[in-house]
Amino acid sequence: MAKETVSAGPLRGLYKFFASITLTITLLLVLAATSVIGTLIPQNESPEAYFRAYGEIFYRIFSALKIFDMYHSWWFQSLLILLAMNVVVCSIDRLPGVWKIVFGVRSRFKAAKFKNKPGKTEFLSTEPPSVVKAVAESLVSKSYGHVQVKPTRKGFMIFGEKWRWSRLGVYIVHLSVVLLLLGSVIGSIFGFDGYINIPEGETVDHVRIRGTGKIYPLPFKLRCDDFDVSFYKNGAPREFRSDLVIIENDREVLKKSIIVNDPLRYAGINIFQSSYGEMQAEAPRPAAVSRPEEIVLSLTVSETGMLYQKKTRIGKPFDLPEGLGKFVVTDFVPEAKFMGQPIGEALTGILTPAGGQPVEVTLPLRFANFDKMRKGRVIISVLEPSAGKQMMPVPGKKKRFYTGLEVTSDPGVWVVYSGFILMLAGCFVTFFMSHEQVAVEITAKGKKSLVSVAGTAYRNKMAMQRKVQRLSDKLAAGTKAV
Amino acid sequence: MTSSTLLSIITFVYGLSAFIYIFSWVFKKPEVARLATWTAAIGFIGHAAGIIWRWNESYGLGIGHAPLSNLYESLIFFAFSLTLIYLIIEYKYRNQIIGAFIMPLAFLTMAYASLSPSVSNHIQPLIPALKSNWLIAHVIACFIGYSAFAVAFGLSLMYLIKQREVDPPAGGSGWLELFPGKQALDELTHQMVMFGFIFLTAGIITGAVWANSAWGRYWGWDPKETWSLITWLVYAALLHARVRWDWRGKRSAYLSVLGFAAVMVTYFFVNYLPGLHSYGSS
Ligand code: HEM
């Protein structure tokens, strides 16, 4: 008990903080302002590119603030979490009151509420109150679902009300915001985003994760039977098409041709056409170079951008510059392959980072930038021996393509899509359906009646004034006003 | 003659209409504003015909697609929905001064599309990623949203001009005599913001669904996506500001101007940044 009273103060303060719309406005504007940064500074480029573009000092500042991947940084995500907490607490705070308005017993209309409403009209009808009442009742019930008639001392009051449930629209919008955030969290925890290049005719069973480059095993095998690209007369591409086959337990379970905008979906995994390339024809030929005696490597340190050269031999370990660990070239491979694709001659080696696990590294002679993909702290490429001549396409042989596929899985997408639907529905109800009430007061004036019409609306009050005017005009026309 | 020739002629019709609206406002001749309305309405009919014609032409070239695929076509559609929304407002609210603030925007948009050498009016075939019905829904929703925000922007400018008037001269001889009242301008702005907000929301959502069907992700923080989100956040803040402090009036009008600035960045300037939406550039 004692504990509770002690914590009630700060908790109450916290609750108030999160229930405030000032916080909402602040968060929305701060999110807008900070989002601008990531559109001015390109995201997820290589560290060297940033280093070159911004220089050392800014590179270090930006990098500490996670500006280079800011939308996934802890501070940006915290803003989103704050917004989610804000919307949840605010709804918990207000919903009970609105719930009562919408589902509670209808309050007895009070004439006083309409007394000084702007747009109130008044006219004198030549009909007695009972006749005016009948006309007014039928007019009001035409546009208002709920009608009450109340006799007064010298006449009648007629009340109409509609769309009180539209007050829930805002809560549907707010629920949808929570669903969007929740769905994206589910996607980032349980989903993946990978890519793979498959040469025509070949089969793969894994993809590479975008960003980290890690291998992700697929629960099936994927074969590409054919790839085709067609062009318009002006040379722009018209369509990319890959004929894919899914193989499970050595059985072909699904065949489909995919094009851009029409992916293959199987076992919760989506496969999209994203790029393509032409394979160099594989002509049988002797290796351009044999096992080299002497090797010259170039070493680029990513963080500092410094470039080093190192002469070495196969099997001779050496220390990497700047204390980054050890490296040894282990072998020469004349026909190396990478993800099923021939990459020509290559060296293999073992890199042992300072205080880390040894990793195997492939260094193709023809692709100097190949090792960048590893995103390591040091990038290694081979200067000597140099690669043999470019492989020549063999005449008469059909060009061979590989297809570039985007392979993703996102179990959160249905939560996000439900959020989309709720957001549109909620906005529609909130913006275009307003909780309205009208009151017609009829008072006997001798044999005639004094009639006044007034109304209130939860939103769009000026449109309500026009509605009141129209109702009043119709009523006046129907009851011989003078 | 081709559809682009017709659309260039419409540019001048809109220019004439804008001129008459401004003339009628500045020289306080409400009776000539009728002429401006008719000019705008005739221009609008020709505009609609031009869009359908262009659509038909693309089929004649064997690359048929809705005319919503490049910067030229999007500008034409933007001016089209802007004029449509304006004519509806004029009909509903029976005020012709607003035209002096909206029709110039429609004219400038058309002039930029037709006359700027950096905007190509060729009908181009669709590259694979753009072949999608979601894309059509996306572009239509976004541009209706942008047009509503443009109208809100014009109304906010009118509000800001009107609220500087300290003492309306007796007998109403000032420039602002024919302006709608401050409260009416404010409410109409709010209506337009709500209208624009729902269409921008629909535009972002259809864009996300399209991206998911083409690339396997519904959101990728590319600059155009991010700027549309920034625009959306600014207008969301405006909607809440009205709830919280009853921020009707001046501050609300400034936020609406800020929101429209974000629309302009999303529409035009993002193309100078790298990203997937570069098809919008020419
Ligand atoms: C991105 C997030 C949000 C969106 C898209 C959103 C959307 C909306 C919309 C469209 C309205 C109706 C505005 C109008 O009446 O014209 C609204 C009203 C409101 N919002 Fe939000 N909102 C968000 C976040 C929040 C948060 C975090 C709070 C927490 C305090 C909040 C509290 C309210 C309140 C109290 C209202 C007024 C409800 C009423 O009129 O009775 N909103 N919101």
Side-chain angles (χ1 to χ4, degrees):
Chain A
M1 273 319 280
K3 216 173 158 192
E4 221 178 274
T5 33
V6 172
S7 61
L11 267 187
R12 184 83 214 144
L14 204 62
Y15 179 84
K16 274 206 157 145
F17 174 75
F18 277 116
S20 110
I21 302 189
T22 315
L23 178 66
T24 312
I25 300 165
T26 314
L27 283 175
L28 291 173
L29 289 175
V30 167
L31 278 168
T34 50
S35 294
V36 174
I37 300 171
T39 67
L40 300 177
I41 297 176
Q43 298 289 293
N44 295 309
E45 300 277 335
S46 71
E48 305 94 87
Y50 287 128
F51 198 88
R52 249 179 283 128
Y54 301 110
E56 171 157 5
I57 296 175
F58 282 106
Y59 174 78
R60 282 188 196 285
I61 296 175
F62 288 173
S63 162
L65 293 174
K66 306 274 184 264
I67 297 283
F68 301 134
D69 187 18
M70 65 155 279
Y71 302 111
H72 304 103
S73 68
W74 61 268
W75 58 267
F76 193 78
Q77 308 254 326
S78 309
L79 288 173
L80 293 175
I81 292 170
L82 281 178
L83 186 70
M85 287 167 69
N86 188 197
V87 80
V88 168
V89 174
C90 191
S91 300
I92 291 174
D93 191 42
R94 290 164 172 254
L95 193 52
V98 174
W99 199 263
K100 243 164 93 192
I101 296 177
V102 175
F103 296 108
V105 267
R106 290 196 192 255
S107 52
R108 296 272 297 280
F109 286 104
K110 290 190 199 72
K113 189 175 161 188
F114 297 91
K115 195 131 196 175
N116 294 315
K117 282 290 160 204
K120 183 171 174 168
T121 64
E122 213 167 54
F123 61 87
L124 195 64
S125 161
T126 49
E127 304 275 14
S130 57
V131 175
V132 178
K133 173 198 150 221
V135 178
E137 202 178 341
S138 90
L139 270 177
V140 170
S141 59
K142 242 184 232 161
S143 341
Y144 292 86
H146 174 81
V147 180
Q148 279 179 29
V149 182
K150 205 168 89 181
T152 55
R153 211 157 45 80
K154 288 179 72 183
F156 302 94
M157 296 276 305
I158 298 167
F159 297 106
E161 184 178 35
K162 74 171 170 189
W163 288 345
R164 58 177 183 166
W165 57 269
S166 73
R167 294 206 181 199
L168 291 175
V170 161
Y171 298 90
I172 295 175
V173 177
H174 292 156
L175 174 67
S176 77
V177 172
V178 175
L179 285 180
L180 295 184
L181 294 173
L182 191 69
S184 70
V185 170
I186 294 175
S188 64
I189 295 178
F190 300 106
F192 67 84
D193 178 3
Y195 61 95
I196 184 94
N197 293 337
I198 316 180
E200 287 172 307
E202 297 197 16
T203 308
V204 297
D205 59 2
H206 63 271
V207 296
R208 264 181 197 266
I209 298 301
R210 206 165 272 294
T212 64
K214 285 207 188 86
I215 295 224
Y216 184 92
L218 291 174
F220 48 76
K221 286 193 176 126
L222 182 61
R223 191 176 74 217
C224 170
D225 282 342
D226 191 20
F227 173 82
D228 258 319
V229 52
S230 56
F231 297 92
Y232 291 109
K233 268 183 250 141
N234 70 357
R238 176 200 286 270
E239 191 167 278
F240 309 125
R241 203 194 71 244
S242 300
D243 296 345
L244 300 182
V245 183
I246 295 207
I247 301 163
E248 258 177 351
N249 305 322
D250 296 326
R251 271 187 40 237
E252 299 184 356
V253 291
L254 186 64
K255 272 190 173 187
K256 181 173 162 127
S257 299
I258 64 164
I259 57 175
V260 180
N261 273 316
D262 184 19
L264 166 61
R265 300 182 198 276
Y266 185 74
I269 292 177
N270 312 306
I271 303 169
F272 298 85
Q273 181 69 55
S274 82
S275 66
Y276 76 102
E278 204 173 301
M279 304 275 299
Q280 283 164 332
E282 293 164 276
R285 54 179 192 91
V289 280
S290 52
R291 190 181 166 91
E293 282 303 310
E294 190 173 77
I295 294 165
V296 183
L297 299 179
S298 118
L299 308 160
T300 315
V301 178
S302 350
E303 259 154 57
T304 58
M306 292 296 288
L307 191 70
Y308 302 86
Q309 271 194 20
K310 179 72 192 172
K311 227 179 244 182
T312 183
R313 276 184 289 117
I314 290 176
K316 184 185 162 208
F318 65 90
D319 287 326
L320 290 170
E322 304 187 15
L324 289 174
K326 278 188 190 320
F327 187 73
V328 56
V329 178
T330 49
D331 204 0
F332 171 77
V333 187
E335 297 278 350
K337 281 197 168 191
F338 179 72
M339 293 173 83
Q341 214 181 306
I343 51 175
E345 312 87 340
L347 298 173
T348 57
I350 305 241
L351 188 154
T352 316
Q357 291 296 313
V359 285
E360 208 186 339
V361 179
T362 305
L363 308 171
L365 305 196
R366 5 186 128 254
F367 305 110
N369 286 327
F370 189 83
D371 194 41
K372 264 194 192 163
M373 280 196 306
R374 192 168 49 84
K375 296 231 155 95
R377 301 178 67 186
V378 55
I379 298 156
I380 308 173
S381 66
V382 185
L383 298 175
E384 288 284 333
S386 54
K389 286 213 186 68
Q390 276 294 317
M391 291 179 274
M392 297 296 288
V394 180
K397 204 170 163 189
K398 183 177 174 277
K399 275 189 207 166
R400 198 163 160 233
F401 289 103
Y402 65 85
T403 180
L405 304 176
E406 182 86 23
V407 183
T408 68
S409 165
D410 186 351
V413 80
W414 295 108
V415 181
V416 171
Y417 278 20
S418 327
F420 285 169
I421 292 170
L422 287 185
M423 177 168 287
L424 280 178
C427 278
F428 184 84
V429 169
T430 305
F431 292 156
F432 301 126
M433 305 177 98
S434 154
H435 180 192
E436 288 177 11
Q437 297 173 338
V438 285
V440 181
E441 191 169 6
I442 306 160
T443 317
K445 263 257 152 80
K447 280 229 162 99
K448 298 177 182 166
S449 314
L450 185 65
V451 184
S452 80
V453 184
T456 69
Y458 184 61
R459 109 186 24 255
N460 203 355
K461 296 186 164 42
M462 292 221 325
M464 189 65 205
Q465 289 181 24
R466 283 195 301 276
K467 285 184 191 175
V468 165
Q469 188 62 52
R470 263 202 309 268
L471 178 64
S472 169
D473 291 347
K474 274 191 196 157
L475 191 54
T479 58
K480 301 191 187 121
V482 284
Chain B
M1 189 160 135
T2 62
S3 63
S4 358
T5 321
L6 173 61
L7 290 167
S8 320
I9 295 171
I10 302 303
T11 307
F12 292 102
V13 178
Y14 282 171
L16 180 64
S17 161
F19 176 78
I20 305 173
Y21 274 121
I22 294 174
F23 179 89
S24 124
W25 165 44
V26 173
F27 294 98
K28 288 179 247 113
K29 299 219 179 313
E31 58 288 356
V32 296
R34 280 188 80 81
L35 194 61
T37 308
W38 279 109
T39 315
I42 289 167
F44 178 75
I45 291 166
H47 197 157
I51 290 176
I52 294 168
W53 186 358
R54 186 176 173 89
W55 200 336
N56 194 35
E57 278 173 345
S58 77
Y59 277 91
L61 292 173
I63 47 173
H65 58 79
L68 295 166
S69 69
N70 60 16
L71 182 59
Y72 175 81
E73 292 171 352
S74 75
L75 287 165
I76 297 293
F77 184 74
F78 176 66
F80 177 77
S81 50
L82 186 58
T83 311
L84 176 62
I85 292 177
Y86 169 68
L87 287 174
I88 291 173
I89 289 185
E90 185 186 313
Y91 178 76
K92 251 183 100 166
Y93 294 88
R94 314 231 163 250
N95 186 300
Q96 292 172 313
I97 300 297
I98 301 170
F101 287 80
I102 307 299
M103 285 316 290
L105 292 178
F107 163 66
L108 288 175
T109 309
M110 291 296 281
Y112 179 56
S114 303
L115 304 176
S116 164
S118 66
V119 181
S120 152
N121 65 9
H122 290 299
I123 298 180
Q124 291 135 331
L126 284 184
I127 61 166
L130 301 186
K131 287 181 192 163
S132 162
N133 288 334
W134 286 109
L135 174 71
I136 297 177
H138 169 62
V139 176
I140 291 178
C142 283
F143 281 101
I144 293 178
Y146 292 172
S147 321
F149 289 142
V151 175
F153 167 73
L155 290 163
S156 301
L157 286 188
M158 292 176 76
Y159 182 93
L160 291 172
I161 294 173
K162 176 100 178 169
Q163 61 91 32
R164 293 176 58 178
E165 177 192 45
V166 201
D167 261 324
S173 61
W175 275 33
L176 309 174
E177 178 193 345
L178 298 171
F179 266 42
K182 261 168 48 173
Q183 201 207 343
L185 282 171
D186 184 55
E187 281 226 19
L188 196 50
T189 307
H190 185 50
Q191 290 260 296
M192 281 295 120
V193 169
M194 290 194 295
F195 190 76
F197 190 77
I198 202 166
F199 275 95
L200 179 63
T201 306
I204 294 176
I205 288 175
T206 46
V209 174
W210 166 45
N212 196 30
S213 74
W215 298 296
R217 52 151 193 81
Y218 52 83
W219 193 260
W221 295 106
D222 103 46
K224 192 131 186 158
E225 282 171 3
T226 308
W227 268 101
S228 67
L229 179 70
I230 292 168
T231 308
W232 189 79
L233 289 168
V234 171
Y235 283 108
L238 166 52
L239 290 174
H240 286 90
R242 292 179 68 95
V243 175
R244 168 64 182 79
W245 293 307
D246 217 27
W247 257 31
R248 280 128 229 266
K250 203 165 146 187
R251 279 177 293 187
S252 173
Y254 281 128
L255 266 180
S256 146
V257 171
L258 179 70
F260 189 64
V263 169
M264 289 287 100
V265 175
T266 312
Y267 190 2
F268 294 114
F269 300 112
V270 165
N271 295 321
Y272 299 105
L273 304 165
L276 285 167
H277 278 85
S278 47
Y279 73 89
S281 60
S282 61

